[in-house]
């Protein structure tokens, strides 16, 4: 069994990282008071932008990793810009946030497939992926070295660094206090001189940026091909946010769980000890556990109190 864990751990982490950064983005949005179920669409926008930029940049800079990082940066920017549609509808127009997020998902899927088909003729954009590497010295550590520090990607450490910075910002800085107050007691925040609309815009924009980055990371660390979808990772990220009780470390644990569970389901048929279990049971296992957890912990949910509620400023 230990050998099996060692074999699947690097692949589980590869799957976990885009899920983690997207769920972190959703955390900022919901902590500010705006529900964002458009994570899937924002990831698709990021994946498309990243793939398109990398494809064109690789022709100008063949064999270089600079193209990949430029693609990741522009995917992050495009995710941020696209999220402004959701922010405007939810904050300025007081639209239903669920409907707005659903529209983001539909628009993103349609426009990226349309553009990809016009650009490539097939709807798919193939690019070169990042190269995995073993972390010097750390990969030689007994037990955990082979689990965490082999066949790793630079994007893995980038996202983990963002996780630490995000946790610090949310709980140790005035910005984090203001953001969280807008999701808990927006009228009290406004009375204290905080611009609730501004903070909610920032939360949604961070969500869009992180989701765009997550979509691009998914492309450059897995198949290296954009085909109009990110395999439902956006919805899994939303489930991870709820399962993690809207806390950074809880989200990390939830995404790791989903990452390992999904990887086990995908490779179960080539592992003798798991091949005896029907694949469908392994595929639905993480979702069933999430539903059970939501039922068990529903009364002690840590969701922001004002999340999803439009805010009407008392100022006229």
């Amino acid at each position: 069994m230990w050998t099996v864990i060692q074999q699947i751990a690097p692949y589980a982490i590869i799957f976990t990282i885009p899920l983690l950064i997207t769920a972190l983005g959703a955390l900022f949005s919901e902590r500010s008071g705006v529900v964002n179920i458009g994570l899937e669409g924002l990831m698709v926008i990021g994946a498309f932008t990243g793939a398109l930029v990398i494809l064109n940049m690789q022709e100008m800079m063949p064999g270089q990793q600079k193209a990949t990082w430029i693609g990741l940066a522009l995917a992050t920017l495009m995710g941020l810009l696209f999220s402004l549609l959701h922010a405007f509808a939810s904050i300025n127009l007081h639209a239903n946030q669920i409907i707005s997020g659903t529209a983001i998902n539909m628009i993103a899927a349609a426009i990226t497939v349309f553009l990809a088909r016009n650009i490539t003729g097939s709807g798919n954009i193939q690019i070169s992926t990042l190269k995995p590497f073993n972390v010097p010295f750390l990969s030689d550590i007994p037990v955990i070295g082979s689990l965490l520090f082999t066949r790793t990607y630079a994007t893995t450490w980038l996202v983990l660094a963002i996780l630490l910075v995000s946790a610090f910002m949310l709980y140790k800085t005035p910005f984090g206090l203001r953001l969280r107050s807008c999701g808990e007691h927006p009228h009290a925040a406004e009375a204290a001189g905080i611009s609730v609309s501004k903070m909610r815009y920032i939360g949604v924009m961070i969500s869009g940026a992180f989701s765009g980055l997550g979509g691009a990371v998914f492309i450059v660390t897995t198949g290296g091909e954009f085909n109009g979808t990110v395999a439902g990772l956006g919805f899994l990220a939303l489930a991870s946010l709820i399962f993690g009780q809207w806390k950074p470390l809880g989200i990390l644990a939830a995404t790791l769980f989903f990452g390992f569970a999904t990887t086990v389901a995908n490779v179960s048929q080539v592992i003798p000890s798991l091949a005896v279990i029907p694949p469908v049971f392994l595929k639905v296992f993480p979702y069933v556990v999430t539903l059970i957890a939501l039922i068990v912990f529903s009364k002690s949910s840590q969701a922001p109190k004002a999340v999803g509620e439009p805010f009407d400023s008392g100022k006229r």
Side-chain angles (χ1 to χ4, degrees):
M1 180 58 73
W2 177 248
T3 302
V4 171
I5 294 175
Q6 287 180 309
Q7 290 174 341
I8 69 172
Y11 301 100
I13 293 174
I14 291 171
F15 186 86
T16 297
I17 291 302
L19 193 59
L20 173 60
I21 189 63
T22 304
L24 276 177
L27 174 65
F28 277 92
S29 181
E30 299 213 357
R31 280 295 182 183
S32 73
V34 179
V35 174
N36 188 357
I37 68 165
L39 302 175
E40 180 84 2
L42 293 170
M43 288 189 75
V44 169
I45 288 292
F48 169 75
T49 303
L52 184 62
V53 170
I54 293 169
L55 177 66
N56 287 279
M57 294 296 292
Q58 282 178 340
E59 294 177 356
M60 295 184 289
M61 298 184 297
Q64 297 186 25
Q65 295 293 310
K66 288 182 181 179
T68 301
W69 290 104
I70 293 173
L72 290 172
L74 291 179
T76 302
L77 177 61
M78 188 56 68
L80 184 153
L81 294 176
F82 206 77
S83 69
L84 290 173
L85 295 174
H86 181 54
F88 180 74
S90 301
I91 300 168
N92 294 85
L93 303 182
H94 295 172
N96 184 293
Q97 295 172 13
I98 304 299
I99 300 300
S100 176
T102 302
I104 292 293
N105 290 333
M106 297 174 67
I107 293 171
I111 195 171
T112 53
V113 170
F114 172 78
L115 291 174
R117 285 179 178 173
N118 279 273
I119 293 169
T120 66
S122 65
N124 295 351
I125 303 175
Q126 294 185 337
I127 59 172
S128 299
T129 59
L130 281 174
K131 303 301 182 184
F133 63 93
N134 296 340
V135 180
F137 304 112
L138 296 180
S139 59
D140 297 326
I141 298 175
V143 183
I144 66 170
S146 59
L147 288 177
L148 304 178
F149 303 112
T150 59
R151 293 188 56 79
T152 185
Y153 290 87
T155 50
T156 298
W157 304 106
L158 172 64
V159 170
L160 291 177
I162 293 174
L163 169 66
L164 295 177
V165 172
S166 298
F168 179 81
M169 286 180 59
L170 281 172
Y171 295 103
K172 300 295 182 180
T173 66
F175 167 79
L177 179 61
R178 290 194 292 269
L179 186 81
R180 289 184 289 118
S181 68
C182 292
E184 295 287 347
H185 304 287
H187 290 285
E190 183 189 46
I194 299 170
S195 173
V196 176
S197 295
K198 177 182 176 181
M199 296 307 298
R200 289 190 169 184
Y201 256 96
I202 292 172
V204 175
M205 289 164 65
I206 292 175
S207 174
F210 283 9
S211 297
L213 176 59
V217 168
F218 175 72
I219 293 296
V220 301
T221 58
T222 54
E225 180 183 40
F226 173 79
N227 56 10
T229 180
V230 289
L233 282 183
F235 298 109
L236 268 181
L238 190 62
S240 300
L241 173 69
I242 299 170
F243 199 7
Q245 291 291 288
W246 290 267
K247 296 179 180 179
L249 293 182
I251 291 172
L252 174 61
T255 52
L256 279 171
F257 169 75
F258 277 118
F260 273 89
T262 304
T263 303
V264 168
N266 290 337
V267 304
S268 62
Q269 295 307 296
V270 297
I271 300 176
S273 58
L274 296 175
V276 296
I277 304 175
V280 65
F281 291 144
L282 292 173
K283 288 184 180 296
V284 303
F285 172 72
Y287 307 100
V288 172
V289 171
T290 300
L291 289 174
I292 294 173
L294 293 177
I295 294 171
V296 172
F297 297 110
S298 60
K299 292 185 178 180
S300 59
S301 174
Q302 301 297 313
K305 293 182 176 60
V307 66
E309 297 179 4
F311 175 72
D312 289 311
S313 175
K315 298 178 181 179
R316 294 289 185 269

